[in-house]
Amino acid sequence: MHPPQFTADHPSTDRTPHTYDVIIAGCGPTGAMLAAELRLHDVRVLVVEQETEPASAVRIVGLHIRSLELMAMRGLLERILPHGRQRPASAYFAAIAKPAPKGLDSRYAYLLGIPQPVIERLLEEHAIDLGAQVRRGRAVTGFEQDDEGVTVELADGEQLRSRYLVGCDGGRSTVRKLLGVGFPGEPARTESLMGEMEVGVPQEEIAATVAEIRETHQRFWLRPAGVGVYSVLVPAAGVSDRTEPPTLDDFKHQLRAIAGTDFGVHSPRWLSRFGDAIRLADSYRIGRVLLAGDAAHIHPPIGGQGLNLGVQDAFNLGWKLAARIRGWAPEALLDTYQTERRPVAEAVLDNTRAQTELLSTEPGAQAVRRLLTELMDFDEVNLHLLKKITAIGIRYDFGAGPDLLGRRLPDIDLEQGHLYGLLHRGRGLLLDRTERLTVGGWSDRVDYLADSTAALDVPGVLLRPDGHVAWIGDDQQDLDAHLSRWFGRPAL
Ligand SMILES: Cc1cc2nc3c(=O)[nH]c(=O)nc-3n(C[C@H](O)[C@H](O)[C@H](O)COP(=O)(O)OP(=O)(O)OC[C@H]3O[C@@H](n4cnc5c(N)ncnc54)[C@H](O)[C@@H]3O)c2cc1C
């Protein structure tokens, strides 16, 4: 990284009155998480959501280890856990069933299955509790940016002004399109129908047939999803009109084609269709407009990573954008959002490509799947793949240094509880085992904890607000340089 220049986004330079510091388009999981992260730093945030009501499709998503850690870091996990079901940290990669590997270095080493509307509601409530405004039934339809801010236009013609606009408006992002950012990649090769409905035959009969079909058809399931309700996944091939929502008859037709019976399905709760397109935005930021979540990357749902990736984008961006608005961000800080997060998305896209191939029914792909299934008996292979999916293996490039530099610090034990309990306010933290370091003039942005008993094998670490290790050592001068690098000039 180049030496930072200390120019701030001073409110006083702009003569146009700003109603907001940041407008976020879209109140999905990414938008809601970003709003909450910004509010931790007192940033004036408006979230504009086109839908009047929260989503109804009760897709169960899995929150993976790193997302659970982020929730714990903000004191949210206790609120979320009762709404989900904890499952073992296993069988993520291409749905290859293996026990959880040994050596999972996390206090939260499980998968939390939770309906997407529930996690969206909880994140939105969290953002509102922290003071974010959310306006529903309002779509962003246009914007113009200048040197000092962004004028955002809504569908009803209302114009709003803010310093920054962030498009968290999903895979078909209006913000991305208006920004003219390319979204290259591969179009969908296969599409699937997914829904929840009741069935007309006994469970034992279903289980036997489904087990037999799944030996060769990975894109198929019919499994209990609550009292009397089944989740159904079938290929959409042959279901003609992509522009129309799927019908129950489409599901019956596909079930009969694969299983020879439609299991008497009836009374659907919701029905949806999704594809396996893979695309990545060329740029995550143009001037004062940024992209996060599905607006910046889309990929097949295999491995359950999209929501996790979006929430983690928001976690990475929130404190950096807040720092810019508060006026203490080093010039290069906001650029690190793209340099850190775009490669992470690229890697996720790639692992979903690989997983998609492994789901193919072609003999060659099936042979590779059998081979990988054998290899995953080696704990190291299993752990490597699991770290990819759960995002605990991420190491941002902060320059040369020990392996821990750039990685997230697990929720280690401290004299007074554990680490993540100290990160609820979204500030940096200096964890000092030497008990002689100081955060000096950065104490308004960075907390300090002296703890000679901390479960660490290094003398001191500086953590960014997202829990990544920004510095390791015991030298105050070196520490000060790194405090400047990440947290700007010290207060006078
Ligand atoms: C079948 C399936 C299973 C999945 N399972 C998992 C899983 O297990 N784990 C996982 O991590 N991910 C999973 N995903 C992916 C996950 O659902 C998405 O990645 C996630 O919803 C992305 O969140 P987001 O907030 O970025 O975008 P979205 O959830 O798409 O939210 C975007 C929001 O923006 C709003 N909006 C759009 N345009 C505008 C506009 N112009 N103005 C204002 N608002 C606008 C939309 O109404 C929406 O509320 C799955 C996806 C599918 C299809």
Side-chain angles (χ1 to χ4, degrees):
M1 187 195 266
H2 301 294
Q5 304 157 35
F6 299 108
T7 52
D9 190 28
H10 291 298
S12 57
T13 59
D14 187 357
R15 281 175 290 280
T16 319
H18 288 92
T19 319
Y20 301 98
D21 295 317
V22 180
I23 292 178
I24 297 172
C27 197
T30 307
M33 190 71 192
L34 178 61
E37 285 298 291
L38 289 166
R39 281 304 305 151
L40 286 176
H41 304 277
D42 238 4
V43 168
R44 294 168 304 164
V45 186
L46 173 69
V47 188
V48 183
E49 166 57 51
Q50 71 178 5
E51 299 297 332
T52 46
E53 299 293 329
S56 60
V58 189
R59 184 192 301 154
I60 305 288
V61 295
L63 284 186
H64 285 300
I65 298 172
R66 186 57 184 151
S67 298
L68 296 168
E69 290 184 345
L70 302 190
M71 304 298 162
M73 280 166 59
R74 296 297 183 259
L76 262 172
L77 196 56
E78 296 78 36
R79 206 154 143 180
I80 292 172
L81 279 181
H83 299 275
R85 238 179 87 194
Q86 290 185 36
R87 292 160 194 266
S90 59
Y92 300 157
F93 200 83
I96 295 174
K98 291 286 169 190
K102 292 182 208 84
L104 263 181
D105 184 18
S106 176
R107 202 180 280 277
Y108 312 93
Y110 53 87
L111 174 81
L112 189 75
I114 188 165
Q116 179 152 344
V118 174
I119 186 74
E120 284 182 11
R121 175 173 57 78
L122 294 171
L123 290 176
E124 184 178 338
E125 281 172 12
H126 172 57
I128 291 171
D129 286 353
L130 289 169
Q133 284 185 45
V134 179
R135 285 206 221 162
R136 286 195 163 269
R138 317 292 293 276
V140 170
T141 51
F143 62 82
E144 255 180 53
Q145 58 170 320
D146 51 56
D147 288 349
E148 294 170 337
V150 189
T151 304
V152 177
E153 184 160 331
L154 305 185
D156 59 6
E158 187 183 357
Q159 293 199 335
L160 302 165
R161 183 87 178 150
S162 64
R163 271 175 220 299
Y164 289 89
L165 168 67
V166 188
C168 299
D169 49 347
R172 296 194 173 89
S173 170
T174 302
V175 173
R176 186 190 65 238
K177 288 175 193 158
L178 291 170
L179 205 50
V181 165
F183 202 38
E186 300 113 57
R189 288 192 301 175
T190 58
E191 295 210 314
S192 306
L193 304 182
M194 192 173 165
E196 282 183 5
M197 55 204 77
E198 293 180 35
V199 294
V201 293
Q203 177 165 0
E204 308 76 58
E205 204 177 302
I206 296 174
T209 316
V210 168
E212 196 186 320
I213 297 168
R214 277 186 57 82
E215 302 252 313
T216 47
H217 282 80
Q218 301 298 329
R219 285 193 191 89
F220 168 82
W221 73 54
L222 196 108
R223 59 190 187 204
V227 183
V229 179
Y230 274 70
S231 166
V232 179
L233 175 81
V234 283
V239 176
S240 50
D241 193 350
R242 293 183 53 191
T243 58
E244 292 293 319
T247 63
L248 184 64
D249 275 345
D250 292 332
F251 279 78
K252 285 184 174 175
H253 178 270
Q254 295 306 91
L255 284 169
R256 281 197 292 267
I258 291 187
T261 166
D262 62 18
F263 301 97
V265 292
H266 64 96
S267 310
R269 302 295 192 267
W270 56 267
L271 306 173
S272 71
R273 177 178 189 133
F274 64 91
D276 60 359
I278 297 183
R279 295 185 181 280
L280 179 63
D282 280 334
S283 177
Y284 278 25
R285 175 189 171 202
I286 306 251
R288 292 175 172 273
V289 184
L290 298 106
L291 300 170
D294 274 18
H297 38 68
I298 54 166
H299 55 80
I302 180 79
Q305 300 166 91
L307 183 148
N308 287 270
L309 189 57
V311 161
Q312 289 160 28
D313 284 349
F315 220 75
N316 186 285
L317 175 58
W319 70 276
K320 295 174 181 172
L321 191 51
R324 184 87 191 143
I325 288 159
R326 295 263 66 91
W328 57 258
E331 177 64 20
L333 187 65
L334 199 50
D335 293 334
T336 66
Y337 166 58
Q338 162 155 339
T339 51
E340 290 171 9
R341 294 304 299 170
R342 199 168 173 280
V344 169
E346 251 174 332
V348 170
L349 265 51
D350 231 28
N351 83 49
T352 60
R353 279 188 187 98
Q355 292 186 76
T356 303
E357 293 305 316
L358 292 166
L359 296 184
S360 161
T361 49
E362 293 296 319
Q366 290 282 311
V368 177
R369 187 181 176 89
R370 283 192 293 276
L371 190 62
L372 185 66
T373 306
E374 277 173 38
L375 288 174
M376 284 172 69
D377 284 335
F378 294 97
D379 228 40
E380 266 186 42
V381 176
N382 196 5
L383 186 62
H384 178 79
L385 295 175
L386 189 123
K387 281 185 172 176
K388 268 187 190 297
I389 304 275
T390 60
I392 56 172
I394 290 172
R395 181 174 190 239
Y396 297 138
D397 182 5
F398 294 170
D403 183 64
L404 186 60
L405 186 69
R407 293 190 186 280
R408 106 291 184 219
L409 198 60
D411 191 8
I412 57 172
D413 288 326
L414 300 171
E415 218 162 26
Q416 46 169 281
H418 36 96
L419 177 70
Y420 290 2
L422 302 178
L423 301 175
H424 290 189
R425 292 195 298 160
R427 292 157 54 88
L429 175 73
L430 175 64
L431 183 52
D432 177 15
R433 290 185 65 225
T434 71
E435 302 188 347
R436 54 176 179 73
L437 297 167
T438 164
V439 291
W442 289 272
S443 62
D444 57 339
R445 286 150 259 176
V446 182
D447 292 327
Y448 173 79
L449 182 76
D451 184 345
S452 59
T453 69
L456 268 179
D457 53 9
V458 291
V461 289
L462 175 65
L463 292 183
R464 307 193 315 185
D466 60 358
H468 280 261
V469 176
W471 172 83
I472 298 168
D474 58 5
D475 180 278
Q476 184 68 50
Q477 232 182 344
D478 191 38
L479 169 61
D480 287 350
H482 283 80
L483 281 161
S484 290
R485 171 180 170 180
W486 294 108
F487 296 98
R489 282 190 180 137
L492 294 175

